[in-house]
Amino acid sequence: MNKREEQGLSNAVMNYLAIKRIPHYRTRTSGSIIHKRGGGIAYGRDRYATTQRGFPDLLVFKDGRTFALELKSKIGKLTPEQKAWLDNLRNEGCIARVVRSLDEVIALFP
């Protein structure tokens, strides 16, 4: 999914969740905790920093459950890191899904 398509889906999903008053958080590709090349953790931004690749795009909180949603196009494929995150989050009791349309979100959160 190119950035424009993903941003459009992300905006549509977040608008829907806001209208339904469902708490949600759009994750970013960079954060305040970063993992430095060669090991170690730093806070803030660093020239050699990397983020935790593959973390799901959206976290949604509903009825005491946490949903981790990865936004993809109809033909988009998960990276190995994305698959690992979704698997790990499922193992911890999170509902982790790949979402390819607003209709899927509406079905999850009617």
Side-chain angles (χ1 to χ4, degrees):
M1 173 180 279
N2 71 39
K3 291 289 181 187
R4 185 178 294 172
E5 288 176 289
E6 182 175 322
Q7 189 62 49
L9 178 57
S10 175
N11 289 342
V13 169
M14 288 190 302
N15 286 338
Y16 175 78
L17 294 172
I19 289 167
K20 297 294 277 184
R21 296 182 182 208
I22 299 170
H24 58 282
Y25 176 76
R26 171 78 163 110
T27 61
R28 301 284 181 213
T29 56
S30 61
S32 59
I33 299 176
I34 52 180
H35 297 264
K36 298 172 86 173
R37 262 189 243 170
I41 296 176
Y43 296 89
R45 294 179 189 258
D46 182 284
R47 176 177 157 189
Y48 300 108
T50 60
T51 59
Q52 293 189 13
R53 294 178 190 263
F55 192 81
D57 296 314
L58 196 61
L59 297 177
V60 182
F61 310 95
K62 177 90 167 112
D63 299 329
R65 297 179 294 171
T66 301
F67 296 78
L69 306 179
E70 180 62 41
L71 306 176
K72 289 287 180 191
S73 70
K74 300 247 185 250
I75 60 171
K77 295 180 181 177
L78 292 175
T79 66
E81 295 89 355
Q82 289 168 331
K83 184 178 181 334
W85 265 112
L86 293 176
D87 290 343
N88 288 337
L89 290 168
R90 280 186 201 108
N91 289 339
E92 293 299 324
C94 184
I95 299 164
R97 304 222 9 203
V98 176
V99 171
R100 298 181 186 278
S101 71
L102 178 59
D103 289 338
E104 290 182 47
V105 172
I106 294 170
L108 272 175
F109 310 105

